Amino acid sequence: MTALELGKDLLGLESLTAQQIVLILDTAEPFKEVSERAIKKVPTLRGKTIVNLFFEVSTRTRISFEFAEKRLSADTVNVSSQGSAVQKGENLVDTARNLEAMRIDMVVIRHPSSGAAKFLADRIDSNVINAGDGKHEHPTQALLDLLTIRDKRGRIEGLRVCICGDILHSRVARSNIWGLLKLGAEVAVCGPRSLMPLGIEQLGVRVISRIEEAIEWADVLNILRLQLERMTGGFIPSLREYNRVFGVTVKRLEQARHDLLILHPGPINRGVEIDSAVADGSHSVILDQVTNGIAVRMAVLYLLSGGRRETAEAAMGLNV
Amino acid sequence: MSERSTIFTGGRVIDPSQELDTASDLLVVDGKVAEIGKNLTAPDEAEVIDVSGLIVAPGLIDVHVHFREPGMEEAETVATGARAAVAGGFTGVCVMPNTDPVTDNQAAVGFIVKQGGDANAARVYPIAAITLQQLGERLSEFGELVAAGAVAVSDDGRPVVSSHMMRTALEYAQTFGIPIVDHCEDPSLAAGGVMHEGLVSSRLGLKGIPSAAEEIMVARDALLAELTEGRVHICHVSTEGSVEIIRQAKSRGARITAEATPHHFTLTDMACEQYDTNTKMNPPLREDHDVAAVIEGLKDGTLDVIATDHAPHHYEAKERDFDDAPFGVVGLETALGVGISELVDTKQLSLYDLIHCMSTKPARIFDLPGGGLSGGSPADLVVFDPTRLWIVDEAKFLSKSRNTPFSGRELSGAVVRTVVAGMTVFEAD
């Protein structure tokens, strides 16, 4: 594998180089235009079969992948399986074997267990794209976050990005930390200590304990969804208190830089981690993230199927 | 009646029970050690086994194995486990009670004793449950269990949560002179964890088990051992903190002993990087400083014995994502090689000390036959080549299961022959 290829799979950003990440972001640029056309379709992946294998509930990510695949003319099948905890491991082995037997080209997998995408990738010849594995990584989400920041700021290097909320359980946080650090950003995390993974500072990120301080410090805030179903474990006393102490509110944003960017991977808990007025306000680039998600996923599908950056424009029918 | 004799000639005999490490012959008559000495004359009909260049030692004794019978025979049976044991140089093993059904009554203990006898390999000693069904609610009948053959009690894998229950067990066991064998884990702190909590678990997105989950229970039970003057044996010590707590408790005179496993003195949580489920065990692999502390504990005697926590699992059970795979690794057939490679070759322990930790001390703590080669003791012994190199190939294991974290590793120290009661029960190709 040379530096300007991705290899067989996209499992996470930890294992990618800065050049590979930039390659994906650069390749996404020409794909943005396809979604702006009246006829949103190019023949790039015609004849390829892709399975979207979702072992966990997802609306946004699954739809985004599906649009990306369809706009590239791939044939897609969606499989949703939310087996019991006992069954899901067995299902994964059997599913891998069956998929292999059906001679498919790519698998997009979302699974509640960390390492599940790698587990599948180690056992089948098809390309595997991790659409979120447990608390481990969600690389395409981080890539679309990076693309959105780069669009708005023209660069990643040197920017101060603070990821806020439940870092402990967040695959979005982990992928973002790797991607941002590799591209030269300064990274901080902010949230209650009970939602911070042990040893997080050793990854090279700053830990900020007060949201007010994070808002003053940052060029970009990436506000994570507080996963309500996880909070039953007693990590925080109540949602009300969380909003009081850590919520990104209009009032608190008075201390922010005027050009602060606010990202959120969605879905939003309005009034918990972020006020409605902030989510819909001038700092917010939340909907740009959604738009960019499709372009980034098209780029990943294109590159993994053997496409090259240099021919991406031509593949889109663009003048070069 | 004619006597059956065997003489082992030309070897180096190491027997910590007699503080012996000498080039000697060893004569076995009728299943018992008859004599150790230079240039022994054997009876005319004696079988002569040349062990020049090899070590002759009391058979290894593993006080912590899981043989899965009854209930999970697809992973191991008493017979296959006992054969794996002798392949690893072990002549005696203590099997944990967390089978299905649990070994918590006389009949269940008797079943293990019978299966062990029929196996005709290593001697198999049952450890019975501390509480009925290992539920931590009612004591099992220690008196009847011991009468049926149990050598200790343990709720291994299911820690005794109630401090009062543990106190009572430590008191009640004293009538029978058996140790309480203690899997130390605070279940609420460890809940849902699948590996050591630290930087690696944070990166992999796997839920961690903090070191404190073990240390809290080690500290509690060290205190209870002092309170009751009962005997507690701490299983599979994995953290620096636990070693220190045990060291302090010993210095205060508590009746506490402890074991270390080969994987905990060799591997760290870095081994989990590739989500290999054969690196998932409980307690989990810890960090460099923990490995160093466990080795230091073995050196200064804080940790008395090496035990494998041999925990076989069927291939399919481990062929899963990390969260869903069961805890445990096999260890009987690699323990001696790992011990020699990681402790002796690295000059942390002498061969003599290693045998002390793997045979003499476990026999003494659990009051088992063997562990020494003095005249009249059972001729349970292992002959091994301490320098022979071999590569771990799990396909060649005699165990039914293959779940080793040492696959492909080169080890020095290979078992040549294992003898139980004077009979050769294993001989290497």
Side-chain angles (χ1 to χ4, degrees):
Chain A
M1 187 173 76
T2 65
L4 288 181
E5 291 172 5
L6 295 186
K8 180 171 95 68
D9 311 299
L10 178 67
L11 303 180
L13 297 194
E14 184 181 0
S15 56
L16 295 190
T17 62
Q19 291 88 336
Q20 287 173 314
I21 294 170
V22 170
L23 170 71
I24 298 170
L25 300 183
D26 288 350
T27 308
E29 290 297 339
F31 286 92
K32 285 181 186 169
E33 189 271 343
V34 175
S35 297
E36 306 303 326
R37 299 179 188 179
I39 295 175
K40 300 176 178 56
K41 209 171 184 74
V42 289
T44 315
L45 293 187
R46 194 156 62 195
K48 299 277 186 190
T49 37
I50 302 178
V51 175
N52 298 315
L53 189 58
F54 279 67
F55 288 89
E56 203 179 60
V57 185
S58 161
T59 307
R60 191 170 305 234
T61 303
R62 186 176 56 74
I63 289 174
S64 181
F65 265 108
E66 211 176 329
F67 273 132
E69 292 155 3
K70 288 191 155 65
R71 287 176 190 179
L72 291 171
S73 303
D75 295 316
T76 67
V77 176
N78 292 324
V79 181
S80 294
S81 167
Q82 291 142 41
S84 68
V86 183
Q87 286 173 337
K88 69 191 181 194
E90 291 163 351
N91 280 346
L92 195 53
V93 180
D94 287 341
T95 307
R97 290 177 185 147
N98 278 284
L99 289 174
E100 201 169 28
M102 284 187 261
R103 307 286 183 263
I104 49 116
D105 297 294
M106 289 189 178
V107 182
V108 176
I109 178 174
R110 152 88 45 116
H111 197 280
S113 295
S114 300
K118 177 176 162 51
F119 181 93
L120 188 66
D122 287 345
R123 284 161 182 77
I124 62 175
D125 292 330
S126 319
N127 308 106
V128 174
I129 299 172
N130 182 5
D133 63 325
K135 303 182 285 278
H136 179 223
E137 287 227 41
H138 189 354
T140 57
Q141 175 68 45
L143 288 164
L144 72 89
D145 292 343
L146 291 168
L147 186 64
T148 306
I149 296 169
R150 197 176 75 166
D151 279 355
K152 299 292 174 189
R153 281 299 158 80
R155 65 187 169 102
I156 302 288
E157 194 173 358
L159 289 180
R160 291 175 157 186
V161 182
C162 184
I163 305 165
C164 307
D166 179 2
I167 312 297
L168 180 64
H169 297 106
S170 176
R171 52 195 172 213
V172 175
R174 284 171 180 75
S175 286
N176 260 284
I177 288 169
W178 294 121
L180 289 162
L181 289 174
K182 283 168 198 268
L183 296 192
E186 274 187 71
V187 184
V189 291
C190 176
R193 197 72 218 190
S194 52
L195 292 174
M196 289 291 160
L198 204 67
I200 183 83
E201 301 90 342
Q202 293 169 60
L203 296 183
V205 307
R206 170 195 301 244
V207 177
I208 299 177
S209 55
R210 314 281 310 185
I211 191 71
E212 294 84 357
E213 194 188 326
I215 288 170
E216 273 190 55
W217 177 82
D219 297 305
V220 180
L221 290 183
N222 197 340
I223 302 164
L224 302 176
R225 166 183 165 75
L226 196 69
Q227 300 205 296
L228 306 182
E229 63 278 12
R230 288 225 164 91
M231 294 309 120
T232 51
F235 292 98
I236 54 168
S238 68
L239 297 180
R240 182 173 161 278
E241 167 143 313
Y242 186 85
N243 180 258
R244 290 274 175 96
V245 182
F246 290 98
V248 178
T249 60
V250 174
K251 174 107 179 89
R252 288 189 171 124
L253 279 185
E254 287 169 7
Q255 303 305 314
R257 307 163 52 101
H258 74 281
D259 58 353
L260 175 76
L261 293 183
I262 290 186
L263 285 77
H264 191 300
I268 298 170
N269 298 308
R270 290 172 182 264
V272 181
E273 69 267 6
I274 186 169
D275 276 7
S276 278
V278 175
D280 304 330
S282 61
H283 295 289
S284 169
V285 293
I286 295 173
L287 293 176
D288 301 272
Q289 290 174 269
V290 177
T291 309
N292 280 338
I294 296 179
V296 154
R297 291 178 174 117
M298 289 171 83
V300 169
L301 293 164
Y302 171 75
L303 290 167
L304 288 182
S305 71
R308 301 178 61 82
R309 165 71 194 96
E310 305 82 70
T311 53
E313 278 85 357
M316 298 307 102
L318 297 175
N319 294 324
V320 285
Chain B
M1 195 180 87
S2 74
E3 292 182 334
R4 190 170 51 76
S5 327
T6 311
I7 185 161
F8 296 84
T9 62
R12 172 180 161 199
V13 177
I14 299 179
D15 177 11
S17 80
Q18 311 177 67
E19 298 185 13
L20 201 65
D21 183 350
T22 172
S24 292
D25 299 339
L26 183 145
L27 176 66
V28 172
V29 177
D30 262 1
K32 292 191 161 53
V33 176
E35 204 178 351
I36 294 175
K38 293 191 199 303
N39 306 315
L40 292 182
T41 32
D44 290 343
E45 74 283 11
E47 181 188 5
V48 179
I49 298 175
D50 180 6
V51 291
S52 304
L54 305 177
I55 307 286
V56 178
L60 308 181
I61 292 175
D62 188 346
V63 298
H64 191 154
V65 302
H66 300 266
F67 281 175
R68 304 306 188 199
E69 184 181 1
M72 246 171 67
E73 289 87 347
E74 75 279 7
E76 196 82 284
T77 63
V78 173
T80 60
R83 285 200 286 276
V86 293
F90 291 91
T91 56
V93 292
C94 301
V95 298
M96 284 294 182
N98 60 335
T99 47
D100 181 15
V102 172
T103 312
D104 63 0
N105 61 73
Q106 227 176 355
V109 172
F111 173 75
I112 302 292
V113 170
K114 176 174 186 311
Q115 296 300 84
D118 291 351
N120 235 341
R123 300 178 197 261
V124 177
Y125 305 104
I127 295 176
I130 298 172
T131 63
L132 293 175
Q133 304 288 315
Q134 297 186 299
L135 292 176
E137 292 164 4
R138 291 177 54 204
L139 282 186
S140 53
E141 295 165 325
F142 293 3
E144 296 211 334
L145 298 168
V146 169
V151 298
V153 288
S154 177
D155 277 1
D156 186 48
R158 294 279 297 271
V160 178
V161 177
S162 156
S163 304
H164 170 71
M165 180 60 72
M166 183 54 93
R167 172 196 178 153
T168 308
L170 281 162
E171 289 170 339
Y172 188 64
Q174 290 175 51
T175 303
F176 313 99
I178 54 170
I180 299 289
V181 179
D182 193 6
H183 171 115
C184 290
E185 178 181 346
D186 179 320
S188 70
L189 266 180
V194 296
M195 68 173 291
H196 171 64
E197 182 173 345
L199 182 59
V200 179
S201 69
S202 292
R203 282 178 39 229
L204 295 178
L206 292 171
K207 185 155 169 36
I209 300 171
S211 297
E214 174 176 312
E215 291 155 2
I216 284 169
M217 282 301 214
V218 173
R220 182 197 75 172
D221 293 345
L223 292 170
L224 290 176
E226 285 184 71
L227 172 69
T228 60
E229 298 181 349
R231 279 177 62 198
V232 66
H233 175 78
I234 308 292
C235 295
H236 40 51
V237 171
S238 73
T239 80
E240 184 178 7
S242 296
V243 176
E244 188 48 40
I245 293 163
I246 294 164
R247 187 176 286 130
Q248 287 172 11
K250 282 189 165 182
S251 74
R252 287 196 306 269
R255 299 171 75 198
I256 186 169
T257 55
E259 72 195 27
T261 73
H263 47 274
H264 287 120
F265 65 66
T266 305
L267 303 172
T268 68
D269 57 350
M270 298 289 285
C272 305
E273 289 265 347
Q274 299 301 315
Y275 295 97
D276 177 356
T277 56
N278 289 333
T279 63
K280 178 176 175 180
M281 69 287 284
N282 192 13
L285 299 173
R286 305 285 186 182
E287 298 179 25
D288 280 332
H289 64 92
D290 297 302
V291 170
V294 168
I295 292 174
E296 195 51 44
L298 285 167
K299 285 167 74 169
D300 72 9
T302 300
L303 306 182
D304 303 86
V305 309
I306 293 170
T308 66
D309 192 9
H310 178 83
H313 286 289
H314 190 254
Y315 168 81
E316 251 172 32
K318 282 286 196 179
E319 180 70 357
R320 296 181 182 204
D321 53 81
F322 206 87
D323 282 342
D324 284 344
F327 290 107
V329 295
V330 293
L332 283 168
E333 294 171 75
T334 50
L336 180 64
V338 173
I340 291 174
S341 305
E342 297 294 325
L343 300 176
V344 178
D345 290 355
T346 57
K347 309 257 186 278
Q348 302 284 352
L349 287 188
S350 64
L351 209 44
Y352 178 97
D353 291 336
L354 184 72
I355 292 163
H356 208 186
C357 290
M358 294 185 77
S359 177
T360 307
K361 284 199 277 188
R364 194 179 300 147
I365 292 167
F366 281 70
D367 194 19
L368 305 174
L373 298 171
S374 50
S377 56
D380 290 4
L381 53 94
V382 57
V383 179
F384 64 94
D385 181 342
T387 57
R388 185 186 300 172
L389 297 175
W390 60 288
I391 307 257
V392 178
D393 175 4
E394 62 273 19
K396 294 184 179 155
F397 284 170
L398 298 192
S399 167
K400 264 194 175 184
S401 290
R402 307 276 175 264
N403 50 308
T404 174
F406 296 114
S407 177
R409 201 178 179 100
E410 186 177 65
L411 299 178
S412 66
V415 176
V416 174
R417 181 187 291 266
T418 307
V419 175
V420 172
M423 302 290 291
T424 294
V425 287
F426 174 80
E427 202 176 343
D429 302 332

